[in-house]
Amino acid sequence: MDKISKEILFSKDAIQKRVRELADQISKDYEGKELIVIGILKGAFIFMADLIREISIPCRVDFARLASYGAGSESSGKVVMTKDIETSIKDKDILIVEDILDTGLTMQYLVDWLEERNPRSLKICVFLDKRKRRKVSFEADYVGFTIEDGFVVGYGLDFNEKYRFSPDIYVIKQ
Ligand code: IMP
């Protein structure tokens, strides 16, 4: 994996525009309500920070941490929760915010986990959706962009903890 080259997929400007559109839609859909936004660490922290600053309704935030990828670009397939949320979500409106939906195994695990706590509503917002790689039948309620298979980095997404800081999103080419 030494010789990595990257090809730009979404520029900072394209990302900002799409985040605003998602935030507008979410603000309309939840008008008059208070939202609890749950970000999945680590990848979602940048998208979530941008999104909640564009959302015009009051929202509270919390984070869960789930891991399915080991080192490298292939999922281990086994999801582990390493940090639970700290907020009571019973009878609340919940929006899960995630960087990317790939096989869907991570999201399925978290949704099952949160549903047990009886929220009033539970929706999912992902910035990127690799729909073709899904292993569980699962659709997000809000999607930034649908992408083809390929490993992407930047805007919070990493490869071996690298490239998270990049304001643009790239596809890795080996
Ligand atoms: P899933 O459980 O297969 O849907 O994987 C979801 C998690 O895998 C995401 O939260 C990311 O952390 C990671 N992931 C999946 N695809 C990529 C990618 O292309 N780049 C970086 N991380 C990815």
Side-chain angles (χ1 to χ4, degrees):
M1 265 292 183
D2 289 321
K3 288 178 192 146
I4 287 176
S5 66
K6 298 181 291 154
E7 189 177 278
I8 196 156
L9 191 60
F10 300 111
S11 68
K12 181 182 171 183
D13 288 350
I15 292 169
Q16 274 178 354
K17 182 170 176 288
R18 190 67 189 120
V19 170
R20 273 192 212 114
E21 289 168 356
L22 287 171
D24 286 349
Q25 188 61 53
I26 291 166
S27 304
K28 276 192 202 118
D29 293 352
Y30 287 93
E31 205 178 334
K33 294 181 175 161
E34 192 192 90
L35 195 55
I36 299 182
V37 181
I38 298 178
I40 308 185
L41 295 171
K42 300 179 194 173
F45 80 108
I46 292 178
F47 171 43
M48 178 158 156
D50 284 350
L51 188 72
I52 60 167
R53 282 179 292 176
E54 297 289 343
I55 288 177
S56 59
I57 55 158
C59 53
R60 284 195 264 160
V61 298
D62 204 341
F63 294 93
R65 184 156 185 214
L66 295 127
S68 69
Y69 272 72
S73 60
E74 271 307 307
S75 171
S76 67
K78 188 173 178 294
V79 181
V80 190
M81 177 176 273
T82 55
K83 186 211 169 297
D84 196 357
I85 56 165
E86 292 158 23
T87 312
S88 166
I89 61 166
K90 190 172 183 320
D91 299 328
K92 307 281 188 206
D93 295 304
I94 309 302
L95 182 68
I96 302 174
V97 172
E98 173 64 311
D99 52 0
I100 189 164
L101 201 50
D102 186 15
T103 63
L105 292 168
T106 306
M107 192 60 82
Q108 184 72 70
Y109 184 97
L110 183 62
V111 166
D112 290 348
W113 182 273
L114 296 178
E115 290 281 14
E116 277 185 24
R117 297 171 188 193
N118 301 313
R120 177 164 47 213
S121 69
L122 182 60
K123 284 191 180 180
I124 297 158
C125 175
V126 294
F127 195 62
L128 300 177
D129 189 357
K130 279 198 233 173
R131 195 162 292 162
K132 284 187 188 153
R133 295 215 348 135
R134 205 75 92 251
K135 287 188 180 157
V136 283
S137 64
F138 209 85
E139 293 296 326
D141 300 280
Y142 305 97
V143 175
F145 297 104
T146 300
I147 60 169
E148 296 300 313
D149 194 6
F151 201 78
V152 290
V153 294
Y155 199 57
L157 290 149
D158 75 306
F159 173 70
N160 282 349
E161 292 300 324
K162 286 190 270 184
Y163 312 117
R164 277 194 210 280
F165 55 84
S166 166
D168 308 295
I169 294 177
Y170 296 86
V171 185
I172 279 191
K173 307 261 175 197
Q174 291 178 55

